[in-house]
Amino acid sequence: MDAQSYSAALADLRTVRDQIKRIRAVLTKQEADRDKLIIQLASYPKAKAERIAPAAGLGVADVVALAPALAPDSLAVNDVLQPAAEPSAIQATPEVVPSPPPQAAAVPTMTAAAARPAPPKAPVEPAAPPAPTAPQAPRDLPSIPAGASGDAWLALTPGLASTRPNFTQQARSTVFLDTTAGILVHRNQTHHLDLAGRSAADLLTAVFHTVPDGVERIYITAGDPWHQGADRHPYLRDAVAAWLNAPTPGWRTDTGRGRDRMAGHFVHARNPVGRYQRENSEEHVEIRSVGEWFDVDGDDPHIVRDAFVLLWQALRRHWNDAVLMGSPSQTGRDLWTRTIPTRGEHADGFPVLSEELRGLLHATAGQGRNELITPPRVPEQLPQLVEYDRTFAYAKHTWKSPVGTPRRITAQTFAAWSEKEQTRALYRCGHWQIRVTVPDTWNHVGILPAPAPGERAWHYPAAPGTMFTTWAGGPEVHTALTNPLTPWKIEILDGILWDDGKPLDDWAKKLKEAWTNLSAQAHFQGDPQQARAAHLASRAVRSILLYGIGGFAQRPRMVTGTTPRTAERDVPPNAEIIGFDDELITWQKPTGFSRDPNAHPEWAASIWSGARAALLTQRHRDDNTYAGALHTEPGTVVAFRTDALYLTAPQHWPHHNQPGDYLLKGYLAGPVTAPTTEEDLLALRDAGRTALTQNGGQA
């Protein structure tokens, strides 16, 4: 291509850009007109969501979200299944429920019939909380206290709300360092460093000798220097803590400053953060892993630098004050605050829930589903192993989130409602304490999470007749009641209900557009290095959304510190010792919830629930089909891993490179020995991805 053709192509590109903007404007107006028509149709007394939905090209849930009065009278089946054979039974009087039988060790594999009958409607039963029984697992989930003390949990935290910032973030001077090759990239310059023993002190000395004007952030692109001496420690975290807390002459641990700074080092097995301040100076610096943003595969620091430049440029198209902060989580939440409206209903910000309710959500709303299904529930020799990964999955579930002051819905309140009111409530943003019974004829994977031994462990009971009590979000309750096989029995014990809102919609749309543009650059870019940089930048956008959502969950904070061995009595009494050497004791202790104005675990819980439900069943409207684990034959699901599904047979699920689509990620021809540990699964995953790449992406 010569200069003339290059200029002509640029002109064509601008024309296409303008056409896209015009088409998008038209589409936005048409969608608004469609929504107005739906609301207008809802005023007709005999209007039904199941008739309006196909006319609008939407699902029933989408129509009900626009016009709540159109909620169907029951949650029997979705809008493409045949009508149920029996009416739904909603009992006003709770039944007496016997103690759950012990769960069977395995669910026998059964072959599904070619044509399944339409499932009967599921009973949704209000019930009083069960009488105390012998614990079924070491971990019990909390409940909201009865009476006024429990009602107080629903009050918002006074004087604490997410508001739009009135300041501009400051960019930090950043360098990229390969500690294996000793290559430092600073802006457009490349330097070769002698890192000596690769300790934190060696890195700081070499970098600040090379860039005397000052650096505020050092990204490690390769080498993982904090894993030095790992063989001398029982756990990798101990090696990381030792590296971070080793003496750094001329420097001390940063104690924190400013709006976006956190005090002290962050000990993490693979992506730690070292925070240092020069003694007798205001000079601060962070040492971080670029692995927080994306996985590198031998990429040199120049490509990583270019990826960050492309990322910043992509975000600047949507936020004129966008700044890349130290982590994708910090960046995501900062960008979100800059989408908080300055006018309208939420101009005063989004209030923060009470600490008690945040604690309840922390304890009862898990994140991704991670489950390995082992023989005899799957064959010992798998005919093949196929990996499907949901593309940019969480971006699919940000269109609706809970807002406003929550309401408590007790079993008695739920029982007093009509069936239509109960159904409408389960369509809305809520978090429900439920008692679950697995159908006697069930022969597939579990649907609802139940607490398992361990601080935050969950499992998914699937044995027929199993009963358990748990908390679940609306999407998972919907799936249990309307799944394409057999409805589960759900009893409402307690619940929290919010108004439906869109606090994350604008933020997520901008990130999705940035991701789409960077993905297109990676696909069409002729320069392999720039194509790779664009791919890494698209992965960074994914991390911004993924970890930004995780940041809303605002887990109770854990502080890490050190105490000299000679002052062992000064270790805080409630601290856990996580490592020690001849000089220092390293400890950590919980500090509870901070007064974080951007703490919204209700948003994270809603998105995670939707993502777990979509692993089981997800409708593709444009293709008029469904995808997910419950649309496979029983006995073919091997594992769930956050956004990924591992099966023993390929599926013909549509993939249009849209958020939530199932992408074929790996394929291993059989026979394959069924994995029995996470290490086995990860080894097979890596082998399957390599094999698929070598086969040109074809299973």
Side-chain angles (χ1 to χ4, degrees):
M1 177 178 284
D2 55 21
Q4 185 175 358
S5 58
Y6 177 75
S7 299
L10 279 177
D12 293 341
L13 185 60
R14 295 186 189 100
T15 302
V16 172
R17 174 201 64 194
D18 294 340
Q19 290 174 342
I20 291 172
K21 290 177 70 175
R22 284 194 294 272
I23 292 170
R24 280 185 177 148
V26 172
L27 178 61
T28 300
K29 183 179 183 303
Q30 289 178 334
E31 288 178 337
D33 292 343
R34 177 201 63 195
D35 295 348
K36 289 179 183 177
L37 283 171
I38 291 172
I39 295 170
Q40 181 181 341
L41 287 168
S43 63
Y44 177 57
K46 296 182 179 180
K48 292 185 179 295
E50 54 267 32
R51 287 201 63 190
I52 295 175
L58 297 174
V60 172
D62 301 325
V63 172
V64 171
L66 288 166
L70 293 175
D73 292 334
S74 68
L75 283 174
V77 290
N78 53 51
D79 53 336
V80 300
L81 295 176
Q82 299 176 11
E86 299 175 4
S88 130
I90 295 191
Q91 302 177 2
T93 305
E95 65 178 89
V96 178
V97 179
S99 299
Q103 183 171 344
V107 178
T109 301
M110 298 178 65
T111 303
R116 299 188 182 97
K121 297 187 178 183
V124 180
E125 303 179 7
T133 58
Q136 300 300 307
R139 184 167 65 98
D140 292 325
L141 296 181
S143 300
I144 304 176
S149 59
D151 294 339
W153 286 25
L154 281 295
L156 301 170
T157 301
L160 194 63
S162 306
T163 56
R164 194 181 184 101
N166 57 4
F167 65 94
T168 301
Q169 290 287 1
Q170 298 300 309
R172 311 295 180 189
S173 176
T174 302
V175 298
F176 302 89
L177 176 61
D178 180 337
T179 61
T180 300
I183 297 175
L184 177 77
V185 174
H186 176 228
R187 297 175 182 163
N188 293 324
Q189 299 177 339
T190 303
H191 306 274
H192 294 271
L193 308 185
D194 179 4
L195 299 178
R198 297 197 303 155
S199 67
D202 294 332
L203 266 60
L204 293 171
T205 299
V207 169
F208 279 85
H209 176 75
T210 306
V211 189
D213 293 339
V215 170
E216 294 179 275
R217 190 172 294 141
I218 302 170
Y219 277 121
I220 306 301
T221 66
D224 296 342
W226 37 77
H227 290 164
Q228 289 185 103
D231 56 339
R232 299 195 299 269
H233 299 273
Y235 301 104
L236 206 54
R237 277 175 54 91
D238 295 343
V240 172
W243 189 88
L244 290 171
N245 292 301
T248 49
W251 298 84
R252 59 181 175 82
T253 301
D254 195 345
T255 55
R257 78 195 196 287
R259 299 174 188 266
D260 63 330
R261 291 285 176 165
M262 298 178 67
H265 303 314
F266 174 61
V267 180
H268 186 278
R270 307 212 173 267
N271 297 316
V273 182
R275 301 183 177 98
Y276 302 92
Q277 180 177 353
R278 194 184 288 276
E279 292 179 353
N280 305 317
S281 170
E282 288 300 311
E283 201 165 17
H284 302 255
V285 64
E286 290 181 330
I287 299 177
R288 310 188 74 112
S289 168
V290 80
E292 293 181 84
W293 294 86
F294 41 70
D295 292 330
V296 290
D297 184 16
D299 299 298
D300 67 44
H302 301 88
I303 292 178
V304 175
R305 184 268 321 273
D306 291 346
F308 273 85
V309 171
L310 289 174
L311 172 64
W312 177 77
Q313 291 172 342
L315 295 177
R316 277 279 172 148
R317 295 188 183 100
H318 303 284
W319 289 274
N320 58 13
D321 55 354
V323 170
L324 297 182
M325 301 174 70
S327 71
S329 174
Q330 290 173 309
T331 305
R333 290 213 294 173
D334 179 69
L335 293 176
W336 172 74
T337 61
R338 298 173 194 280
T339 65
I340 296 175
T342 56
R343 293 181 296 176
E345 182 181 359
H346 300 293
D348 294 332
F350 294 94
V352 174
L353 303 178
S354 69
E355 184 169 330
E356 293 82 3
L357 199 52
R358 281 180 279 154
L360 178 78
L361 287 166
H362 166 66
T364 61
Q367 192 173 350
R369 177 169 180 169
N370 289 287
E371 180 185 21
L372 178 62
I373 300 172
T374 57
R377 293 178 62 187
V378 297
E380 293 189 1
Q381 292 295 313
L382 308 178
Q384 51 203 323
L385 184 63
V386 190
E387 178 191 7
Y388 287 95
D389 186 74
R390 295 187 67 227
T391 301
F392 204 14
Y394 286 1
K396 177 79 171 178
H397 306 286
T398 54
W399 67 278
K400 183 177 76 169
S401 301
V403 294
T405 303
R407 288 192 297 148
R408 183 179 187 182
I409 309 300
T410 64
Q412 292 74 22
T413 300
F414 192 87
W417 285 349
S418 68
E419 184 177 353
K420 186 176 180 103
E421 289 174 320
Q422 293 174 347
T423 300
R424 185 183 302 171
L426 294 176
Y427 264 106
R428 292 174 53 190
C429 293
H431 192 58
W432 301 95
Q433 186 180 30
I434 54 179
R435 188 159 55 230
V436 183
T437 303
V438 181
D440 291 338
T441 58
W442 191 254
N443 66 344
H444 219 298
V445 297
I447 291 180
L448 291 162
E455 182 185 353
R456 290 191 53 77
W458 300 87
H459 68 145
Y460 294 80
T466 301
M467 299 176 65
F468 58 95
T469 299
T470 190
W471 286 83
E476 289 167 290
V477 176
H478 294 163
T479 301
L481 293 170
T482 67
N483 74 81
L485 303 177
T486 304
W488 285 32
K489 180 181 175 182
I490 306 293
E491 301 171 78
I492 302 296
L493 306 178
D494 209 343
I496 310 161
L497 198 61
W498 289 267
D499 292 334
D500 296 346
K502 293 181 176 290
L504 304 177
D505 194 44
D506 184 37
W507 172 73
K509 283 180 177 176
K510 291 177 177 179
L511 290 177
K512 283 186 279 190
E513 187 167 335
W515 171 79
T516 299
N517 291 337
L518 288 167
S519 298
Q521 286 186 53
H523 183 73
F524 294 109
Q525 173 62 251
D527 183 332
Q529 290 192 337
Q530 285 300 300
R532 177 63 179 171
H535 171 72
L536 293 179
S538 72
R539 299 296 292 173
V541 174
R542 174 186 176 275
S543 296
I544 288 173
L545 186 134
L546 177 70
Y547 295 118
I549 290 168
F552 287 123
Q554 202 248 336
R555 307 298 186 196
R557 299 184 66 181
M558 189 74 71
V559 172
T560 303
T562 59
T563 301
R565 288 291 293 268
T566 55
E568 188 170 341
R569 293 183 178 180
D570 294 337
V571 173
N574 61 336
E576 174 192 3
I577 295 175
I578 59 174
F580 58 86
D581 55 26
D582 293 339
E583 297 181 358
L584 294 174
I585 299 171
T586 304
W587 47 265
Q588 66 180 15
K589 68 171 185 176
T591 60
F593 292 97
S594 65
R595 279 186 60 83
D596 183 352
N598 296 323
H600 292 286
E602 69 276 20
W603 297 348
S606 177
I607 292 168
W608 292 339
S609 178
R612 289 193 301 269
L615 277 176
L616 297 167
T617 179
Q618 173 179 282
R619 184 185 176 195
H620 293 262
R621 295 191 190 96
D622 294 342
D623 301 277
N624 193 27
T625 189
Y626 281 79
L630 294 180
H631 301 278
T632 66
E633 292 298 316
T636 61
V637 179
V638 177
F640 298 87
R641 188 170 173 81
T642 309
D643 302 330
L645 190 58
Y646 296 83
L647 308 171
T648 63
Q651 305 295 317
H652 300 291
W653 293 335
H655 185 270
H656 304 300
N657 204 38
Q658 294 298 310
D661 287 357
Y662 280 89
L663 173 67
L664 177 63
K665 200 73 173 287
Y667 176 81
L668 272 182
V672 177
T673 301
T676 56
T677 66
E678 183 181 21
E679 291 74 17
D680 293 342
L681 178 65
L682 294 179
L684 291 174
R685 177 200 66 182
D686 295 342
R689 291 179 178 180
T690 301
L692 186 68
T693 301
Q694 293 173 347
N695 200 33
Q698 298 296 318

Coordinates of all heavy atoms in Angstrom, one line a residue, residues 456-488:
R456 N -15.7 -20.4 51.8 CA -16.6 -19.9 50.7 C -16.9 -21.0 49.7 O -17.1 -20.7 48.5 CB -16.0 -18.7 50.1 CG -16.0 -17.5 50.9 CD -15.6 -16.2 50.2 NE -16.5 -16.0 49.0 CZ -17.7 -15.6 49.0 NH1 -18.3 -15.3 50.2 NH2 -18.4 -15.4 47.9
A457 N -16.9 -22.3 50.1 CA -17.1 -23.4 49.2 C -18.6 -23.7 48.9 O -19.4 -23.5 49.8 CB -16.4 -24.6 49.7
W458 N -18.9 -24.1 47.7 CA -20.2 -24.4 47.3 C -20.2 -25.7 46.5 O -19.2 -26.0 45.8 CB -20.8 -23.3 46.4 CG -20.9 -21.9 47.1 CD1 -19.9 -21.0 47.1 CD2 -22.0 -21.4 47.8 NE1 -20.3 -19.9 47.9 CE2 -21.6 -20.1 48.3 CE3 -23.2 -21.9 48.2 CZ2 -22.4 -19.3 49.1 CZ3 -24.1 -21.1 48.9 CH2 -23.7 -19.8 49.4
H459 N -21.3 -26.4 46.6 CA -21.5 -27.6 45.7 C -22.9 -27.5 45.2 O -23.7 -26.7 45.6 CB -21.2 -28.9 46.4 CG -22.1 -29.3 47.5 ND1 -22.5 -30.6 47.8 CD2 -22.8 -28.5 48.4 CE1 -23.3 -30.6 48.8 NE2 -23.6 -29.4 49.2
Y460 N -23.2 -28.4 44.2 CA -24.5 -28.4 43.5 C -25.2 -29.7 43.6 O -25.0 -30.6 42.7 CB -24.2 -27.9 42.1 CG -23.7 -26.5 42.0 CD1 -22.3 -26.3 42.2 CD2 -24.5 -25.5 41.7 CE1 -21.9 -25.0 42.2 CE2 -24.1 -24.2 41.7 CZ -22.7 -23.9 41.9 OH -22.3 -22.6 41.9
P461 N -25.9 -30.0 44.6 CA -26.6 -31.3 44.8 C -27.4 -31.6 43.6 O -28.2 -30.8 43.1 CB -27.4 -31.1 46.1 CG -26.8 -30.0 46.8 CD -26.2 -29.1 45.8
A462 N -27.3 -32.9 43.2 CA -28.1 -33.4 42.0 C -28.8 -34.7 42.3 O -29.5 -35.2 41.4 CB -27.1 -33.5 40.8
A463 N -28.5 -35.4 43.4 CA -29.1 -36.7 43.7 C -30.6 -36.6 43.9 O -31.0 -35.7 44.6 CB -28.4 -37.3 44.9
P464 N -31.4 -37.4 43.2 CA -32.8 -37.3 43.4 C -33.3 -37.4 44.8 O -32.7 -38.2 45.6 CB -33.3 -38.6 42.6 CG -32.2 -38.9 41.6 CD -31.0 -38.5 42.3
G465 N -34.2 -36.5 45.2 CA -34.8 -36.5 46.5 C -34.0 -35.7 47.5 O -34.5 -35.5 48.6
T466 N -32.8 -35.2 47.2 CA -32.0 -34.4 48.1 C -32.7 -33.1 48.5 O -33.3 -32.4 47.6 CB -30.6 -34.1 47.5 OG1 -30.0 -35.2 47.2 CG2 -29.8 -33.2 48.4
M467 N -32.7 -32.7 49.7 CA -33.3 -31.5 50.2 C -32.2 -30.7 50.9 O -31.3 -31.2 51.6 CB -34.4 -31.8 51.2 CG -35.6 -32.5 50.6 SD -36.8 -32.9 51.8 CE -37.4 -31.3 52.2
F468 N -32.2 -29.4 50.7 CA -31.2 -28.5 51.3 C -31.8 -27.1 51.3 O -32.7 -26.7 50.6 CB -29.9 -28.5 50.6 CG -29.9 -28.1 49.1 CD1 -29.6 -26.8 48.7 CD2 -30.2 -29.1 48.1 CE1 -29.7 -26.5 47.4 CE2 -30.3 -28.7 46.8 CZ -30.0 -27.4 46.4
T469 N -31.2 -26.3 52.2 CA -31.5 -24.9 52.4 C -30.4 -24.0 51.9 O -29.2 -24.3 52.3 CB -31.9 -24.5 53.8 OG1 -33.0 -25.3 54.2 CG2 -32.2 -23.1 54.0
T470 N -30.7 -23.0 51.1 CA -29.6 -22.1 50.6 C -30.2 -20.8 50.3 O -31.3 -20.5 50.5 CB -29.0 -22.8 49.3 OG1 -27.8 -22.1 48.9 CG2 -30.0 -22.8 48.2
W471 N -29.3 -19.9 49.8 CA -29.7 -18.6 49.2 C -29.4 -18.6 47.7 O -28.4 -19.2 47.3 CB -28.9 -17.5 49.9 CG -29.3 -17.1 51.3 CD1 -29.0 -17.7 52.4 CD2 -30.2 -16.0 51.7 NE1 -29.5 -17.1 53.5 CE2 -30.3 -16.1 53.1 CE3 -30.9 -15.1 51.0 CZ2 -31.1 -15.2 53.8 CZ3 -31.7 -14.2 51.7 CH2 -31.8 -14.2 53.1
A472 N -30.2 -18.0 46.9 CA -30.0 -17.9 45.5 C -30.6 -16.7 44.9 O -31.6 -16.1 45.4 CB -30.5 -19.2 44.8
G473 N -30.0 -16.2 43.8 CA -30.6 -15.1 43.1 C -31.7 -15.5 42.2 O -31.9 -16.6 41.9
G474 N -32.5 -14.5 41.7 CA -33.6 -14.7 40.9 C -33.3 -15.6 39.6 O -34.1 -16.5 39.3
P475 N -32.2 -15.3 38.9 CA -32.0 -16.1 37.7 C -31.8 -17.6 38.0 O -32.3 -18.4 37.2 CB -30.6 -15.5 37.2 CG -30.6 -14.1 37.6 CD -31.3 -14.2 39.0
E476 N -31.2 -18.0 39.1 CA -31.1 -19.4 39.4 C -32.4 -20.0 39.8 O -32.7 -21.1 39.5 CB -30.0 -19.6 40.4 CG -28.6 -19.3 39.9 CD -27.6 -19.2 40.9 OE1 -27.6 -18.2 41.7 OE2 -26.7 -20.1 41.0
V477 N -33.2 -19.2 40.6 CA -34.5 -19.7 41.0 C -35.4 -19.9 39.7 O -36.1 -20.9 39.6 CB -35.2 -18.7 41.9 CG1 -36.6 -19.1 42.3 CG2 -34.4 -18.6 43.2
H478 N -35.3 -19.0 38.8 CA -36.0 -19.1 37.5 C -35.6 -20.4 36.8 O -36.5 -21.2 36.3 CB -35.7 -18.0 36.5 CG -36.2 -16.7 36.9 ND1 -35.7 -15.5 36.4 CD2 -37.1 -16.3 37.9 CE1 -36.3 -14.5 37.0 NE2 -37.2 -14.9 37.9
T479 N -34.3 -20.7 36.8 CA -33.8 -21.9 36.1 C -34.3 -23.1 36.8 O -34.7 -24.1 36.1 CB -32.3 -21.9 36.0 OG1 -31.9 -20.7 35.4 CG2 -31.7 -23.1 35.3
A480 N -34.3 -23.1 38.1 CA -34.8 -24.3 38.8 C -36.3 -24.6 38.5 O -36.7 -25.7 38.4 CB -34.6 -24.2 40.3
L481 N -37.1 -23.5 38.4 CA -38.5 -23.7 38.2 C -38.9 -23.9 36.7 O -39.9 -24.5 36.5 CB -39.2 -22.4 38.7 CG -39.2 -22.2 40.2 CD1 -39.7 -20.8 40.6 CD2 -40.0 -23.3 41.0
T482 N -38.1 -23.4 35.8 CA -38.5 -23.4 34.4 C -37.5 -24.2 33.5 O -37.5 -24.0 32.3 CB -38.6 -22.0 33.8 OG1 -37.4 -21.4 33.8 CG2 -39.6 -21.2 34.7
N483 N -36.6 -25.0 34.1 CA -35.6 -25.7 33.3 C -36.3 -26.6 32.3 O -37.4 -27.1 32.5 CB -34.6 -26.4 34.2 CG -35.3 -27.7 34.8 OD1 -35.3 -28.7 34.2 ND2 -35.7 -27.6 36.0
P484 N -35.6 -27.0 31.2 CA -36.3 -27.8 30.1 C -36.4 -29.2 30.4 O -37.0 -30.0 29.6 CB -35.3 -27.6 28.9 CG -34.0 -27.3 29.6 CD -34.2 -26.6 30.8
L485 N -36.1 -29.7 31.6 CA -36.2 -31.1 32.0 C -37.3 -31.4 32.9 O -38.4 -31.9 32.6 CB -34.9 -31.6 32.5 CG -33.6 -31.4 31.6 CD1 -32.4 -31.9 32.3 CD2 -33.8 -32.1 30.3
T486 N -37.1 -31.0 34.2 CA -38.2 -31.3 35.2 C -38.1 -30.1 36.2 O -37.0 -29.9 36.8 CB -37.9 -32.6 36.0 OG1 -37.9 -33.7 35.0 CG2 -39.0 -32.9 37.0
P487 N -39.2 -29.5 36.6 CA -39.1 -28.4 37.5 C -38.7 -28.9 38.9 O -39.1 -30.0 39.3 CB -40.6 -27.8 37.6 CG -41.2 -28.3 36.3 CD -40.5 -29.6 36.0
W488 N -37.9 -28.1 39.6 CA -37.5 -28.4 41.0 C -38.6 -27.7 41.9 O -39.2 -26.8 41.6 CB -36.2 -27.8 41.3 CG -35.0 -28.6 40.7 CD1 -35.1 -29.3 39.5 CD2 -33.7 -28.8 41.2 NE1 -33.9 -29.9 39.2 CE2 -33.0 -29.6 40.3 CE3 -33.1 -28.3 42.3 CZ2 -31.7 -29.9 40.5 CZ3 -31.7 -28.7 42.5 CH2 -31.1 -29.5 41.6

